[in-house]
Amino acid sequence: MTATMHTGNAGPGSPGGAGGPGDVAPAEAPRTVRPDVVADGPGAPHEYRRNTSTLHARDVLAMVGAAAAALGLTAVLFGRVLPFDAPLGFAVVLYLAFMALYAVLVSLDDNGSAVRARLAQALVHSVAGLLLVALLFVVGYTIVRGWGALTHLNFFTEDMSGTGPLDPLTQGGALHAIVGTLEQIAIALLVTVPLGLACAVFLNEVPGRYARFVRTIVEAMTALPSIVAGLFIYATWILLLGQDKSGFAAALALSVMMLPIVIRASDVVIRLVPGSLKEASYALGAGQWRTVWTVVLPTARSGLTTAVILGTARGIGETSPVLLTSGIAAGLNANPVDGPQLSLPLATFTLVVSPEKAMIARGFGCAALLMALVLVLFVLARVIGGRAPGRLSKGQVHRRVIASARDVERMTVRAEERADAEERADADERSDAEGRERDRSEGPDSPGVVRAAGAGAGEPAQPGDRRPPPPPWA
């Protein structure tokens, strides 16, 4: 847009005006004039649809070209120039060559800031892809090595009490380890969830020096080594109190590991609850703990569920605390308070160190079961607490509709009963008013009044009498 500038001389009355031969008239201040607005029509500029996608064709071509050029350059360097043949070195040089060539290709079309943005985007996506590949490799390698044991039904229904190292995979299983893991983690959750959530609520609702001290201790315990937790329970529960090794002792050790994680994560989640929600609850007359129970905890339900799952994932894979507090058992022990009890991580540790292939396959099968158990827990957590506050499932909406219909029916019945009571009260009031009007209209000489006045002291009043009967002593 071209600005139109207008200049002129100052008047004689203005400062610097024509007041003498040496005075110079200053120019007017520059003024911008808006151009005429062109309406939509033949003279309107053509509009193009803006592409809001983050992936463009030129980016894809630049990425593919950089990858092909990097692969060829790395192959030439490792095959013809450099005396290297290590796969890891090949991958590192390939990645560095790809990043350099990709930056050069992007710089042909964009400026420096765009080049840096594309490089950062490529770096982030490559790291995410590397982590995904590592995860798939770990999961796939575990399943492949344990597939020989997982394909047999006895692996899920039998224990190792009657199976030796040389027995085939058609004998023995991991039933005792599965039962032990489920019982230990269930007891640990019964101990950890109430204490963790209560401590997180305390840290947010009761601020002060003691709360800051507790928060510091919790943050320090999140880095507590697992062997220290096992030694603590071993020294207190087994040596000091004289209890035997059992699954309950192992659950206590797992609770020590899980509790700081649950408290810390729950504390962060509860802090994110908007203060306006609590203020609205207080304005409606609810108390502090009523607000916590009905507003804060339901709002933070999804985050609290994630906190519990994080603590569970930390405790379910521990081996050393279970080894110190529960011991090793080859048979099924469904009683967590009496005798040693095995878990899936401990079974994996004891089986994979065996030189027999069948025992190693059983160990990897236990590891695959452990991963499947963690996956099931995460799925349950998403189902239970994955919805945002206020969003209901179809079943919940159906139950709310039924409850609303019942409330409407109940309130309708109450309204009808109230209307009937009001009608009866109005009718009684009208009858009383009519009776009082008749009494005033009849006067003292009416027959009814005379009969009532002439009645003896001992005679009962007649039904038509308007006066009350005389007392007994009259």
Side-chain angles (χ1 to χ4, degrees):
M1 180 176 64
T2 304
T4 304
M5 312 299 295
H6 297 276
T7 60
N9 296 329
S14 62
D23 296 337
V24 179
E28 284 188 3
R31 186 174 59 184
T32 302
V33 179
R34 293 182 299 175
D36 297 334
V37 178
V38 180
D40 294 340
H46 183 68
E47 295 183 358
Y48 297 94
R49 183 181 298 274
R50 179 177 296 179
N51 186 8
T52 59
S53 176
T54 58
L55 185 64
H56 303 278
R58 60 182 182 181
D59 297 333
V60 176
L61 294 177
M63 189 174 299
V64 172
L71 181 61
L73 178 61
T74 307
V76 170
L77 290 176
F78 272 70
R80 301 294 182 181
V81 179
L82 301 176
F84 301 141
D85 57 356
L88 181 60
F90 185 88
V92 172
V93 174
L94 175 63
Y95 180 75
L96 295 178
F98 166 76
M99 295 295 288
L101 294 174
Y102 181 65
V104 172
L105 293 178
V106 172
S107 64
L108 298 178
D109 297 326
D110 297 317
N111 53 13
S113 60
V115 172
R116 290 189 293 271
R118 294 293 186 273
L119 289 179
Q121 186 177 9
L123 179 62
V124 171
H125 284 80
S126 60
V127 172
L130 179 62
L131 294 178
L132 180 61
V133 170
L135 177 62
L136 294 178
F137 174 77
V138 171
V139 174
Y141 182 78
T142 303
I143 294 177
V144 170
R145 292 295 303 271
W147 187 252
L150 294 173
T151 54
H152 295 86
L153 184 61
N154 58 279
F155 183 75
F156 306 95
T157 58
E158 297 180 5
D159 55 25
M160 296 293 293
S161 58
T163 305
L166 300 179
D167 292 333
L169 294 176
T170 55
Q171 299 179 13
L175 178 63
H176 56 309
I178 298 173
V179 173
T181 298
L182 294 177
E183 290 184 351
Q184 292 171 16
I185 202 65
I187 296 174
L189 287 175
L190 290 177
V191 175
T192 303
V193 173
L195 293 179
L197 298 184
C199 185
V201 171
F202 165 76
L203 294 178
N204 285 272
E205 299 296 330
V206 189
R209 294 183 177 179
Y210 184 65
R212 291 194 296 269
F213 173 74
V214 173
R215 183 177 284 110
T216 302
I217 297 299
V218 169
E219 292 177 355
M221 288 184 63
T222 54
L224 183 69
S226 59
I227 190 67
V228 176
L231 289 174
F232 172 73
I233 298 299
Y234 180 80
T236 55
W237 182 259
I238 297 176
L239 297 182
L240 186 61
L241 299 179
Q243 302 294 326
D244 295 332
K245 290 185 177 182
S246 61
F248 184 76
L252 293 179
L254 297 179
S255 301
V256 175
M257 296 297 304
M258 296 164 53
L259 188 59
I261 306 297
V262 175
I263 295 175
R264 189 70 183 93
S266 302
D267 181 24
V268 174
V269 170
I270 293 177
R271 285 186 184 182
L272 298 178
V273 176
S276 58
L277 296 179
K278 297 190 289 185
E279 293 173 0
S281 178
Y282 295 148
L284 293 175
Q288 181 180 13
W289 301 115
R290 181 74 174 178
T291 301
V292 170
W293 183 257
T294 58
V295 176
V296 176
L297 294 181
T299 303
R301 180 187 62 181
S302 177
L304 295 177
T305 306
T306 303
V308 173
I309 292 301
L310 289 176
T312 305
R314 172 67 188 276
I316 200 172
E318 294 295 339
T319 303
S320 55
V322 181
L323 179 61
L324 288 174
T325 56
S326 178
I328 299 177
L332 176 62
N333 180 18
N335 187 3
V337 297
D338 184 18
Q341 191 178 57
L342 198 66
S343 64
L344 285 174
L346 186 56
T348 302
F349 174 74
T350 57
L351 291 174
V352 296
V353 297
S354 175
E356 300 298 330
K357 294 184 178 180
M359 301 296 284
I360 295 175
R362 293 188 182 98
F364 278 98
C366 291
L369 286 179
L370 185 61
M371 292 189 299
L373 180 59
V374 173
L375 178 61
V376 169
L377 291 176
F378 271 95
V379 171
L380 291 178
R382 292 299 93 193
V383 172
I384 295 174
R387 296 183 181 88
R391 297 185 60 184
L392 305 178
S393 63
K394 294 183 179 180
Q396 291 174 337
V397 172
H398 180 66
R399 289 192 294 270
R400 290 293 179 88
V401 171
I402 294 177
S404 299
R406 292 175 180 173
D407 292 339
V408 171
E409 183 180 358
R410 184 174 65 254
M411 298 304 295
T412 303
V413 172
R414 289 183 180 180
E416 293 176 354
E417 293 177 352
R418 188 181 298 108
D420 295 339
E422 292 177 356
E423 291 179 359
R424 289 194 298 268
D426 294 340
D428 294 342
E429 185 177 357
R430 285 194 302 269
S431 63
D432 293 342
E434 292 174 357
R436 289 192 297 269
E437 185 65 24
R438 284 197 302 269
D439 291 343
R440 287 194 298 270
S441 62
E442 289 176 355
D445 297 335
S446 63
V449 175
V450 172
R451 285 196 301 270
E459 298 178 0
Q462 300 298 324
D465 294 344
R466 297 295 179 180
R467 298 175 61 183
W473 60 83

